[in-house]
Amino acid sequence: MKPEILLLAVPAAPLLLLLAYPAGHKGLLERLTPLAALPALLISLLELPPEPTLVPWLLLGGWLGLDETGRLFLFFTSLLWLASGWYSRGYLVKDPLRAEFFLFYLLAMSGNFGVIMARDLITFIFFFSLMSFAAYGLVVHTRDAKALYAARLYMLLVILGELLLFAALLLVVTAAGTIRLDPVPGSIPAGFLTMALLLIGFGIKAGMLPVHIWLPLAHPAAPVPASAVLSGAMIKAGLLGWLRFLPLGETALPGWSDFCLLMGFGAVFYGALVGALQHDSKTVLAYSSISQMGLMTVGIGIGLANPEQWHIALTAVQIHAVHHGLAKGALFLGIGVASRTVAGPGLQVLVRIGLVLPALILAGAPFTSGMVAKTGLLQAAGHLASPWPALAASLLPLSSIATTLLMARFLTLIWSEVKGGVALNGSLWRPWLLLILAALASVWLLPAARPLIPDVLGMPGLTAGWPLLIGLTLAALVYRWRLAWKIQIPAGDLLLPMAWGGRKLRDLLARSWALLTLPLPVPELPVAGARRLSGRIEQALRNWLVVGTSCAAILLLLLFFLMIA
Amino acid sequence: MLDLLFRTHWLPLAILLSSLLPGLVIFFLKEESSRWRISLNMLGATVKMLLIAIMILGLDRGYTYRTTMAFLPGIELVLHADPLSVLFAALSAALWFWTTLYAVGYLEESPNRSRFFGFFSLCVSATAGIALAGNLITFLIFYELLTLTTYPLVVHRGTPAAIEAGRIYLAYTIAGGLVLTVGTIWLWSLAGHLDFAGTGRLTSMAESDHWRLTAIFFLLLAGLGVKAALVPLHFWLPVAMIAPAPVSALLHAVAVVKAGAFGIVRVVFDLYGLDLAARLQLLQPLGIIASITIIYGSLQALQQDDLKRRLAYSTVSQVSYIILGMALGGYFGVIGGMVHLIHQGLMKITLFFCAGNLAETLGIHRISEMDGVGRRMPWTMTAFTVAALGMIGIPPMAGFISKWYLGLGALEAHQWWVILVLVGSGLLNAAYFLPVLHIAWFKEPPGRWPHERRFGRRETHLLLLLPPMATALLVIAAGLLAGSFWSPLGWVEFIVAGGGVK
């Protein structure tokens, strides 16, 4: 088979399945949705040549391919879409708008796969937009007031991101002289504008401070399986954008590196602190995503400082992306399992274990992928200019404390929700279990992670575990002193002052706009003669037969002369 | 055999006649003989598309088509086909085909159909003439004919509001035509030639007649700008949307507004030539006028609740993309502008078809009445969504391709502010289209629609449904398959390469 057909099949499979919707086979659509992710999963496991393939008819000549980063991203992304799609069938079983959900789910899935496989920037932005716009349907799905508000905010930032990226890509293409992605990191102009546009444009999707405001509202607003893919997979498209476009491993940009490190560490702790004060388990998880993406931003910052050490930082970022994606997916799916299933105390214990495991992974407990990822980041940070190595050495363990705090908060919120008495639903717990197992196992199977594993295994359990203990103590204090009740920060945190400023600005604009748009009368032709003339013409024209035939006659006459000429 | 077909020099004439003759016959058909009328119309539309297809193949193989006749001493009437004229002719032929189908469904059982379809055909003939005109005089004649043949379509309903709208329409377009005529005559007396072919003949006068050439340029621009709805000459357009939906669709997508824009493209690209226009420093003001129009039209669109009025202001804004592209003057800018000639036509005609469907099927005219309409008319609204997303410039729709090239053109010409215009316009487009989509898809439908007609199991009349779906598919195809030679983009690159633009 030609490689391009194989590559095209990945984003095309969900789109083809969509045809079942207008054909009226809505049941088929539901049943096959998880399978639509199968081609992607299979291809991510194949050894394909890393060179991109040209699909000449696609957009402006589309390039598709899978490099190492792409394979990793496609692997965990497709697994997540598969598990969540499977899970949706059980979760939405009584939802009257089920079919619409699957429609948007498939569209967003195709976009997410395509973004990963795109090797030219037009194809990249096409799939990126497809994913972003389709996810609107997932966020707005429940149609209650919260979802509507969240969806509006989401769309506002999607549009903002699209426009920033539009400008950024124009600059990139003009500098690179080609639409292909491979030469981009080596040729992008390191000017302020391009870098700022790229960082913010993709940062919106990746939940970077301070453009994260939509995320704690939109991710929880969607139904549980959609939250899982939003927070586990789609958020990573922003990260992928950075990996594809920023001059990582090519040019040292110390200023931007400091910016990313600051914003990254800022997000790690800010997300954790605000998240720990939330009252909704899904919102806590959304803040945890902001916090975790902060760690990946730190990785980008390391890469921007030190091109030679980029490969170490890249490995750390990749491991982080995989492990956060799978663990966060498992946590989200766990919410639905906890509140819907389980009969008997034995199973309840199992569900609780299933909830704790991914939380431990995310917090970087000893011998988990979280630990591996952090070890990688620490190693990469060692090559930075001072004071960053020392700072990173203390901040990274602190970040484990922050994550533990968040996870503990999540577990206290969800703990009481684990119910008995409802029938256990196979299409809920099976995909959940799949993700937990994948999260536990995958990083140990990743070839890129292997060099780090001896370091992790060599660590004495106690030194590796102390951040976890401190985090748990802090969480106990938050719980004990009822801090979440004393300090109330609504989801969206910075959104409030921003919205206030926005309203003021809008009022101001409205006032000046009102001056500009005073109702203007349609101007009349000032000359009376012209008016009479147009009146007479009109009289004549109203007799349509006269006009029609005379027009036609003129035309015919002209043509006649043309023919004999 | 094929060679013989390509070598036929009467091809431009035949293209004109293919819509003119059916139009003439239709005038004399009885009101009831709708079967004859439809067959004639569709026959003409099909023949026209075939002829243009032959012409495109011929041009691709290097054949030329040119017919001339003496008109006045020293002035010839010329019909000729270059790649640019074929671009516009193909657009008008393809959209005529779909609009005619649509109009058949739309006007079923309504009075005065012979008059309507007769003028409809004449209007398309005039558009084809504009496309094939080989010099400014020929262009002017067809341009004026277009004014006259569209007037009866605008006032078709015969209501006082329609008559009033027609009066305003005539006042504007005839005044514009006069200005254009003055400019044309002045240019002829100055240069002695008005040919679109042979770019660069005016260049020798760049030094001696600098101011005169500039003045003529702005006269021509003012004359053409009326139809192209440049601010502040755009007032007639939102008023004229009182016309029946197929007329609005044709007016906004290909006939009147596009004729103005096409004329400006001709003047800049062929009559003056980009080099001369740049030397005379005409491009910068042109770009500023276009930019103001783009932003102003969008701001106005934002305030309309009437769906067709919102679409009308959106046309004001979007058509100026074409002019903006010409004003940028470089390789990418010109491509972006020219390709938008097609892309805007496809997108806007889809939107108007859909607006017409809502009005005819459910009696919906206002955006505030569109709650949940996506569930009642999913196919119509899918087409609407595709076109609206294209207008915003979301890939892979056609609109993205235009905007992308315009953006590249702006960077190439070092006109940074144009990026801001594009981004701002995208934002405004999103602000006035996305709420419509949200309302239509995600709100609960009301208990009953303002004025509902039932069409069995289908959401609406089949003839009202097929055209918007076909054009929406074209909107996607023009973007998704932009890389192929036969896409609008591929053809425009062919035109621009032939024009020697670097």
Side-chain angles (χ1 to χ4, degrees), chain B residues 314-334:
Chain B
S314 153
T315 304
V316 172
S317 165
Q318 291 274 341
V319 164
S320 272
Y321 277 27
I322 302 165
I323 296 151
L324 181 65
M326 300 315 293
L328 288 172
Y331 177 75
F332 291 116
V334 170

Side-chain angles (χ1 to χ4, degrees), chain A residues 59 136 174 513 538 544 552 565, chain B residues 24 68 115 151 303 438 480 483:
Chain A
L59 295 161
Y136 180 82
T174 308
W513 181 241
E538 195 180 326
W544 61 269
Chain B
L24 265 185
T68 57
R115 177 181 77 187
Y151 173 79
Q303 333 228 326
H438 173 85
L480 195 62

